[in-house]
Coordinates of all heavy atoms in Angstrom, one line a residue:
A186 N 88.7 96.8 80.9 CA 89.4 96.7 82.2 C 90.4 97.8 82.4 O 90.5 98.4 83.5 CB 90.0 95.3 82.4
S187 N 91.2 98.1 81.4 CA 92.2 99.1 81.5 C 91.6 100.5 81.7 O 92.1 101.3 82.4 CB 93.1 99.1 80.2 OG 93.8 97.9 80.2
T188 N 90.5 100.8 81.0 CA 89.8 102.1 81.1 C 89.3 102.2 82.5 O 89.3 103.3 83.1 CB 88.7 102.2 80.1 OG1 89.2 102.1 78.8 CG2 87.9 103.5 80.2
G189 N 88.8 101.1 83.1 CA 88.3 101.1 84.5 C 89.3 101.5 85.5 O 89.0 101.9 86.6
G190 N 90.6 101.3 85.1 CA 91.7 101.6 86.1 C 91.7 103.1 86.4 O 92.1 103.5 87.5
Q191 N 91.1 104.0 85.6 CA 91.1 105.4 85.8 C 90.0 105.8 86.8 O 90.0 106.9 87.4 CB 90.8 106.2 84.5 CG 91.9 106.0 83.5 CD 91.7 106.8 82.2 OE1 92.3 107.8 82.0 NE2 90.8 106.2 81.4
V192 N 89.0 104.9 87.0 CA 87.9 105.2 87.9 C 87.9 104.3 89.2 O 87.1 104.5 90.1 CB 86.5 105.0 87.2 CG1 86.4 105.9 86.0 CG2 86.3 103.5 86.8
M193 N 88.9 103.4 89.3 CA 88.9 102.5 90.4 C 89.9 103.0 91.5 O 91.1 103.2 91.3 CB 89.4 101.1 90.0 CG 89.6 100.1 91.1 SD 88.2 99.9 92.2 CE 87.3 98.6 91.3
P194 N 89.4 103.3 92.7 CA 90.3 103.7 93.8 C 91.1 102.4 94.2 O 90.8 101.3 93.8 CB 89.3 104.0 95.0 CG 88.0 104.2 94.3 CD 88.0 103.3 93.1
P195 N 92.2 102.6 94.9 CA 92.6 103.8 95.6 C 93.4 104.8 94.7 O 93.5 106.0 95.0 CB 93.5 103.3 96.7 CG 94.1 102.1 96.2 CD 93.0 101.5 95.4
V196 N 94.1 104.3 93.7 CA 94.9 105.2 92.8 C 94.2 105.3 91.5 O 94.2 104.4 90.7 CB 96.3 104.7 92.6 CG1 97.1 105.7 91.8 CG2 97.0 104.5 94.0
M197 N 93.5 106.4 91.2 CA 92.7 106.6 90.0 C 93.6 107.4 89.0 O 94.8 107.6 89.1 CB 91.4 107.3 90.3 CG 90.6 106.6 91.4 SD 89.4 107.7 92.2 CE 88.3 108.0 90.9
G198 N 92.9 107.7 87.9 CA 93.6 108.5 86.8 C 93.9 109.9 87.3 O 93.4 110.4 88.3
A199 N 94.7 110.6 86.5 CA 95.2 112.0 86.8 C 94.0 112.9 86.9 O 94.0 113.8 87.7 CB 96.1 112.5 85.8
A200 N 92.9 112.6 86.2 CA 91.7 113.5 86.2 C 91.1 113.5 87.6 O 90.5 114.6 87.9 CB 90.7 113.1 85.1
A201 N 91.2 112.5 88.3 CA 90.6 112.4 89.6 C 91.3 113.4 90.6 O 90.6 114.0 91.4 CB 90.6 111.0 90.2
F202 N 92.6 113.5 90.4 CA 93.3 114.5 91.3 C 92.9 115.9 90.9 O 92.8 116.8 91.7 CB 94.8 114.2 91.1 CG 95.3 112.9 91.6 CD1 95.5 111.8 90.7 CD2 95.5 112.7 93.0 CE1 95.9 110.6 91.2 CE2 95.9 111.4 93.4 CZ 96.1 110.4 92.5
V203 N 92.7 116.1 89.6 CA 92.3 117.4 89.1 C 90.9 117.7 89.7 O 90.6 118.9 90.1 CB 92.3 117.5 87.6 CG1 91.8 118.9 87.1 CG2 93.7 117.3 87.0
M204 N 90.0 116.7 89.7 CA 88.7 116.9 90.3 C 88.7 117.3 91.7 O 87.9 118.2 92.2 CB 87.9 115.6 90.2 CG 86.4 115.7 90.5 SD 85.6 114.2 90.9 CE 85.9 113.2 89.4
A205 N 89.6 116.8 92.5 CA 89.8 117.2 93.9 C 90.1 118.6 94.0 O 89.6 119.3 94.9 CB 90.9 116.3 94.6
E206 N 90.9 119.1 93.1 CA 91.3 120.6 93.1 C 90.1 121.4 92.7 O 89.8 122.5 93.3 CB 92.4 120.8 92.1 CG 93.7 120.2 92.5 CD 94.3 120.8 93.8 OE1 94.1 122.0 94.1 OE2 94.9 120.0 94.6
F207 N 89.3 121.0 91.7 CA 88.1 121.7 91.2 C 87.1 121.8 92.3 O 86.5 122.9 92.5 CB 87.5 120.9 90.1 CG 87.7 121.5 88.7 CD1 88.4 120.8 87.7 CD2 87.2 122.7 88.3 CE1 88.7 121.3 86.5 CE2 87.5 123.3 87.1 CZ 88.2 122.6 86.1
L208 N 86.9 120.8 93.1 CA 85.8 120.8 94.1 C 86.3 121.2 95.4 O 85.5 121.4 96.4 CB 85.3 119.3 94.2 CG 84.5 118.8 93.0 CD1 84.2 117.3 93.2 CD2 83.2 119.6 92.8
G209 N 87.6 121.5 95.6 CA 88.2 121.9 96.9 C 88.0 120.8 97.9 O 87.8 121.1 99.1
M210 N 88.1 119.5 97.5 CA 88.0 118.4 98.4 C 89.3 117.7 98.5 O 90.2 117.8 97.6 CB 86.9 117.4 97.9 CG 85.5 118.1 97.8 SD 84.3 117.0 97.0 CE 84.3 115.6 98.2
S211 N 89.5 116.8 99.5 CA 90.7 116.0 99.6 C 90.5 114.8 98.7 O 89.4 114.4 98.4 CB 90.8 115.5 101.1 OG 89.8 114.5 101.4
Y212 N 91.6 114.3 98.2 CA 91.6 113.1 97.3 C 90.9 111.9 98.0 O 90.3 111.1 97.3 CB 93.0 112.8 96.8 CG 93.0 111.6 95.9 CD1 92.5 111.6 94.7 CD2 93.5 110.4 96.4 CE1 92.5 110.5 93.9 CE2 93.5 109.2 95.6 CZ 93.0 109.3 94.3 OH 93.0 108.2 93.6
T213 N 91.1 111.9 99.3 CA 90.5 110.7 100.1 C 89.0 110.7 99.9 O 88.4 109.7 99.7 CB 90.8 110.9 101.6 OG1 92.3 110.9 101.7 CG2 90.3 109.7 102.3
D214 N 88.4 111.9 99.9 CA 86.9 112.0 99.7 C 86.5 111.6 98.3 O 85.5 110.9 98.1 CB 86.4 113.4 100.0 CG 86.6 113.8 101.5 OD1 86.5 112.9 102.3 OD2 86.8 115.0 101.7
I215 N 87.3 112.0 97.3 CA 87.0 111.6 96.0 C 87.1 110.1 95.8 O 86.3 109.4 95.2 CB 88.0 112.3 95.0 CG1 87.9 113.8 95.0 CG2 87.9 111.7 93.6 CD1 86.6 114.3 94.5
M216 N 88.1 109.5 96.5 CA 88.4 108.1 96.4 C 87.2 107.3 97.0 O 86.8 106.3 96.5 CB 89.7 107.8 97.2 CG 90.2 106.4 97.1 SD 91.9 106.3 97.8 CE 91.6 106.8 99.5
I217 N 86.7 107.8 98.2 CA 85.6 107.1 98.8 C 84.3 107.2 98.0 O 83.6 106.2 97.8 CB 85.3 107.7 100.2 CG1 86.5 107.4 101.2 CG2 84.0 107.2 100.8 CD1 86.5 108.2 102.5
A218 N 84.1 108.3 97.4 CA 82.9 108.5 96.5 C 83.0 107.6 95.3 O 81.9 107.2 94.8 CB 82.8 110.0 96.1
A219 N 84.2 107.3 94.8 CA 84.3 106.5 93.6 C 84.2 105.0 93.8 O 84.1 104.2 92.8 CB 85.7 106.8 92.9
V220 N 84.1 104.5 95.0 CA 84.2 103.1 95.3 C 83.0 102.3 94.7 O 83.2 101.3 93.9 CB 84.3 102.8 96.8 CG1 84.1 101.3 97.1 CG2 85.6 103.3 97.4
V221 N 81.8 102.7 95.0 CA 80.6 101.9 94.6 C 80.5 101.9 93.0 O 80.3 100.8 92.4 CB 79.3 102.4 95.2 CG1 78.1 101.7 94.6 CG2 79.4 102.2 96.7
P222 N 80.6 103.1 92.3 CA 80.5 103.0 90.9 C 81.6 102.1 90.2 O 81.3 101.4 89.3 CB 80.6 104.5 90.4 CG 80.2 105.3 91.6 CD 80.6 104.5 92.8
A223 N 82.8 102.2 90.8 CA 83.9 101.4 90.2 C 83.6 99.9 90.4 O 83.9 99.1 89.5 CB 85.2 101.8 90.8
V224 N 83.1 99.5 91.6 CA 82.9 98.1 91.9 C 81.8 97.6 90.9 O 81.8 96.5 90.4 CB 82.5 97.9 93.3 CG1 81.9 96.5 93.6 CG2 83.7 98.2 94.3

């Protein structure tokens, strides 16, 4: 459950913010994309 905290929106792990920079996307888009896998 604690590990899942890094993949569960709305506030994910630090790596998710880095991913947004890598992809040139807003964090909001990353957050929306992560919803279904996390659920």
Side-chain angles (χ1 to χ4, degrees):
S187 295
T188 298
Q191 298 180 104
V192 301
M193 173 58 83
V196 183
M197 302 159 69
F202 296 98
V203 177
M204 189 197 306
E206 295 293 328
F207 256 115
L208 294 171
M210 300 172 64
S211 70
Y212 176 71
T213 304
D214 293 332
I215 298 294
M216 188 169 60
I217 292 170
V220 169
V221 173
V224 170

